[in-house]
């Protein structure tokens, strides 16, 4: 065997012996601090060099003095390596503890800011923690808003159901005792209250399907001109009763692939919502026109504008933008006695069509009177 081959063999054998021992020790220290792991790496590296040099020097018949020199040099290198490893491991442990504190603050809802701490991997982890904290904060805010909406919905629906039920009971008792001066009017009022409660229950059922992800839309070609005309005709009696001018215009031949029943519900809810909030002699106008990648449905009313804080919540379940619980419409007006569900249903149906809905205020520069502009965009595909 040549000298080089023998040196290779001795070096590899020394490295394997020390490496196997280092792996065994590392396995025993696997649950200890990172500081011990880095120190072990430095020790294994130095011992590999030291053992290989000593073994080769003996095979080469080097004098004891020369071997001592080699031993001193390698020992000094081992000490320096171990010290460097301990310093580096201490810094890594400190950075990891800092990240651990950030994780704790994320769980507790505290502030977390990304920083330049440690290696690039630690910096990336810190940035991810900061982004995760922001996402969690948004999720907590949404959850809080949803919980508030649920509580408001239960309160409002309970009141809106209790009020007509109390009226029905009083009128029924009056009819039973034969003290009703106009029984036919009482029957009409009872029928109107029942229709209003049926509408409310239908809205609740529709909303539950939307939130459960069970709303199934069956798109088919829909002529928007016919759909808008039907919606305006259905809401015209309500508009006349409130002395609101109702009209619209649609681009000729405009079509969209949508569920006809769902899109009719969207238009009806938006139009009735506009009529309910528009004062007498005001105007509710419906338009439909093509836009890039889809069609746009717009319902403009004269509601005098929506405050910013209300505009952010207007599509939330149960939100009505008012603390008053008394219905604003007459008993027979079943179209306007909603519990703050109409716009939430609109959003759910539009999103089921992969579209979007928003609202903005329009001033005197864009309309004869301040109002709101509800805009629905549906994709053509």
């Amino acid at each position: 065997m040549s000298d080089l081959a023998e040196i290779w063999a001795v070096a590899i054998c020394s490295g394997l012996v020390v490496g196997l021992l280092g792996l065994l020790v590392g396995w025993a220290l696997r649950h200890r601090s990172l500081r011990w792991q880095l120190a072990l790496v430095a020790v294994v590296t130095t011992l590999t060099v030291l053992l290989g040099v000593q073994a080769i020097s003996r095979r080469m018949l080097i004098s004891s003095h020369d071997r001592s020199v080699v031993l001193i040099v390698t020992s000094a290198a081992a000490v320096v390596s171990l010290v460097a490893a301990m310093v580096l491991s201490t810094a890594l442990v400190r950075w990891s503890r800092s990240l651990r504190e950030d994780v704790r603050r994320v769980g507790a809802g505290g502030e977390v800011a990304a920083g330049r701490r440690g290696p690039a991997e630690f910096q990336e982890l810190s940035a991810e923690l900061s982004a995760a904290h922001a996402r969690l904060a948004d999720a907590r805010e949404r959850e809080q808003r949803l919980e508030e909406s649920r509580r408001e919905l239960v309160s409002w629906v309970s009141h809106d159901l209790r009020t007509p039920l109390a009226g029905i009971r009083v009128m029924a008792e009056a009819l039973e005792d034969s003290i009703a001066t106009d029984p036919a009017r009482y029957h009409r009022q009872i029928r109107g209250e029942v229709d209003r409660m049926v509408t409310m229950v239908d809205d609740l059922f529709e909303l539950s399907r939307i939130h459960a992800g069970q709303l199934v839309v069956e798109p088919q070609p829909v002529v928007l001109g016919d759909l808008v005309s039907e919606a305006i005709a259905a809401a015209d009696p309500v508009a006349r009763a409130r002395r609101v001018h109702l009209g619209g215009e649609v681009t000729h031949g405009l079509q969209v692939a949508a569920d006809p029943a769902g899109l009719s519900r969207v238009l009806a809810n938006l139009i009735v919502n506009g009529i309910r909030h528009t004062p007498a002699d005001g105007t509710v106008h419906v338009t439909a026109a093509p836009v890039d990648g889809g069609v746009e449905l717009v319902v403009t009313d004269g509601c005098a504008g929506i405050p910013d804080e209300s505009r952010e919540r207007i599509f939330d379940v149960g939100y009505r933008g008012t603390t008053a619980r008394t219905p604003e419409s007459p008993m027979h007006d079943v179209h306007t006695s909603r519990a703050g569900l109409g716009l939430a249903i609109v959003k759910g149906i539009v999103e089921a069509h992969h579209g979007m809905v928003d609202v903005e205020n329009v001033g005197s520069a864009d309309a004869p009177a301040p109002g709101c502009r509800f805009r629905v965009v549906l994709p053509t595909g």
Side-chain angles (χ1 to χ4, degrees):
M1 181 182 296
S2 64
D3 293 343
L4 291 178
E6 184 177 359
I7 292 173
W8 272 105
V10 171
I12 292 173
C13 290
S14 303
L16 287 175
V17 171
V18 177
L20 289 175
L21 291 176
L23 289 176
L24 291 175
V25 175
W27 177 258
L29 298 176
R30 65 187 182 279
H31 299 306
R32 303 296 295 273
S33 172
L34 183 64
R35 182 184 292 108
W36 297 102
Q37 304 290 334
L38 291 177
L40 178 62
V41 172
V43 170
V44 168
T45 303
T46 304
L47 287 179
T48 301
V49 176
L50 183 61
L51 182 60
V53 169
Q54 290 298 315
I56 292 173
S57 64
R58 290 184 180 279
R59 298 286 296 174
M60 296 177 64
L61 302 177
I62 298 177
S63 64
S64 299
H65 179 270
D66 292 340
R67 282 199 300 272
S68 299
V69 172
V70 174
L71 179 61
I72 292 172
V73 173
T74 53
S75 298
V79 172
V80 173
S81 299
L82 184 59
V83 170
M86 294 302 293
V87 172
L88 179 59
S89 63
T90 300
L92 289 175
V93 169
R94 185 175 66 253
W95 294 326
S96 66
R97 287 176 178 172
S98 176
L99 289 175
R100 183 180 61 187
E101 292 300 321
D102 285 349
V103 173
R104 287 179 178 175
R105 284 194 291 270
V106 168
E111 293 293 332
V112 177
R116 296 181 59 84
R117 292 171 294 184
E121 291 77 8
F122 279 21
Q123 296 178 26
E124 293 174 358
L125 181 57
S126 178
E128 287 295 329
L129 283 175
S130 179
H133 172 263
R135 291 192 294 269
L136 284 175
D138 292 340
R140 290 191 185 98
E141 183 179 356
R142 287 195 301 270
E143 182 180 0
Q144 183 178 3
R145 288 175 56 183
L146 286 174
E147 185 60 30
E148 291 176 356
S149 297
R150 291 189 189 100
R151 289 196 297 266
E152 291 174 351
L153 176 62
V154 172
S155 174
W156 295 351
V157 169
S158 299
H159 187 282
D160 286 349
L161 287 176
R162 187 182 298 112
T163 300
L165 285 173
I168 291 173
R169 181 174 182 177
V170 170
M171 288 184 285
E173 291 175 350
L175 291 171
E176 287 178 356
D177 297 337
S178 300
I179 61 175
T181 57
D182 187 357
R185 183 174 65 87
Y186 275 40
H187 285 128
R188 289 194 301 271
Q189 289 179 342
I190 291 175
R191 177 63 181 270
E193 293 290 7
V194 170
D195 289 343
R196 187 159 68 92
M197 288 190 295
V198 169
T199 301
M200 190 184 304
V201 172
D202 289 342
D203 283 352
L204 288 171
F205 178 71
E206 187 78 6
L207 198 61
S208 67
R209 289 203 305 159
I210 291 173
H211 285 176
Q214 297 177 353
L215 179 63
V216 179
V217 296
E218 298 179 356
Q220 62 185 59
V222 176
V223 180
L224 288 179
D226 296 341
L227 204 66
V228 172
S229 297
E230 293 173 0
I232 291 176
D236 188 63
V238 181
R240 289 179 181 274
R242 287 178 169 264
R243 295 190 301 161
V244 173
H245 304 289
L246 178 60
E249 57 184 24
V250 180
T251 302
H252 180 70
L254 184 61
Q255 293 188 2
V256 65
D259 183 80
L263 195 53
S264 296
R265 187 73 176 272
V266 168
L267 278 172
N269 286 6
L270 290 178
I271 292 173
V272 170
N273 179 77
I275 294 173
R276 183 161 67 93
H277 290 91
T278 299
D281 297 326
T283 300
V284 174
H285 194 70
V286 185
T287 61
V291 294
D292 292 339
V295 297
E296 179 186 67
L297 291 168
V298 176
V299 178
T300 306
D301 58 39
C303 68
I306 305 174
D308 292 340
E309 61 274 10
S310 296
R311 194 162 64 247
E312 294 176 357
R313 296 192 56 197
I314 198 167
F315 294 104
D316 290 353
V317 176
Y319 188 74
R320 295 196 292 195
T322 175
T323 57
R325 297 281 74 81
T326 303
E328 301 172 6
S329 58
M331 284 186 179
H332 65 274
D333 188 0
V334 299
H335 296 284
T336 61
S337 54
R338 304 295 177 90
L341 306 179
L343 293 181
I345 292 174
V346 167
K347 182 179 180 181
I349 295 175
V350 171
E351 290 181 348
H353 284 82
H354 306 289
M356 58 85 65
V357 57
D358 58 22
V359 60
E360 62 181 357
N361 292 329
V362 290
S364 57
D366 301 317
C372 302
R373 180 175 181 266
F374 286 86
R375 176 172 172 267
V376 174
V377 177
L378 297 175
T380 53

